[in-house]
Amino acid sequence: MENLILDSLKTRRSVRSYTDKPVEQEKLDAILEAATYAPTGMGSQSPVIVLVQTPELVQKISRMNAAVLGRDNIDPFYGAPVVAIVFGNQNASPTWFEDACLVAGNLLNAAHAVGVDSCYIYRAKEVFSSEEGLTLQKSWGLDENYVGVANCILGYGAGEAPAAKPRKEDYIRRA
């Protein structure tokens, strides 16, 4: 079956090398808006997205992420100029974590749909449960009930996106 949305979902790839070209505000706005339409348990809309575009702050959060790995000599954000951090409110609903993951998924797929490359970077929970991370979080108006779930880096890839790996044969099982 041919369908633009299905094709977009099948062609999105994680990109791990970025140029310093800024992402246009119109595209960022479209990506963020689409992310807010992710399903949430009981319609709670409890996740929050913090958009970070200031190079110094992107680099600071990347260094914090690298420190969690114990590898201060790497850039886990791969030089991406933008990071959208998705937080879940653990007191909002029993599905707070899943809700935040769905928001991150929508964000990544929306980025691809408008020609922006992306990658889901882990360790948001660890970064934002540190003293330094909690201080940043509070500066964004988020109390300790919010938990970092995903760092979604955004930008324009330096080179071709990787090809999709073949899907495993037993991915789908019919009952």
Side-chain angles (χ1 to χ4, degrees):
M1 170 182 283
E2 297 234 1
N3 178 286
L4 290 175
I5 294 171
L6 295 177
D7 291 343
S8 183
L9 291 170
K10 292 189 287 187
T11 58
R12 192 207 68 76
R13 295 288 162 266
S14 294
V15 173
R16 293 179 178 86
S17 180
Y18 290 84
T19 69
D20 59 1
K21 177 182 174 184
V23 179
E24 300 85 346
Q25 193 61 49
E26 179 182 31
K27 288 185 178 184
L28 285 173
D29 291 343
I31 293 165
L32 294 169
E33 181 182 19
T36 70
Y37 281 86
T40 57
M42 298 176 282
S44 67
Q45 299 182 38
S46 64
V48 171
I49 305 163
V50 174
L51 185 69
V52 180
Q53 300 178 83
T54 308
E56 297 80 22
L57 189 52
V58 171
Q59 290 167 5
K60 176 180 181 172
I61 298 167
S62 179
R63 282 193 301 275
M64 293 167 68
N65 195 293
V68 170
L69 286 171
R71 298 182 63 198
D72 295 334
N73 60 336
I74 66 165
D75 174 11
F77 291 174
Y78 304 103
V82 177
V83 60
I85 308 160
V86 181
F87 290 88
N89 183 339
Q90 61 186 341
N91 289 342
S93 127
T95 60
W96 69 270
F97 180 77
E98 292 84 355
D99 296 347
C101 289
L102 287 165
V103 166
N106 263 29
L107 196 149
L108 298 170
N109 287 316
H112 179 61
V114 298
V116 174
D117 294 311
S118 66
C119 189
Y120 187 116
I121 306 296
Y122 294 87
R123 297 169 298 280
K125 179 180 180 182
E126 295 83 354
V127 166
F128 293 101
S129 60
S130 72
E131 188 175 325
E132 188 176 18
L134 285 168
T135 299
L136 277 174
Q137 197 173 308
K138 286 179 183 174
S139 75
W140 300 326
L142 301 176
D143 63 30
E144 64 279 348
N145 291 319
Y146 285 90
V147 177
V149 173
N151 299 294
C152 298
I153 58 174
L154 303 168
Y156 293 101
E160 293 292 316
K165 293 180 182 178
R167 302 293 98 173
K168 64 182 182 178
E169 286 191 31
D170 65 343
Y171 215 130
I172 300 167
R173 300 179 186 200
R174 300 186 191 278

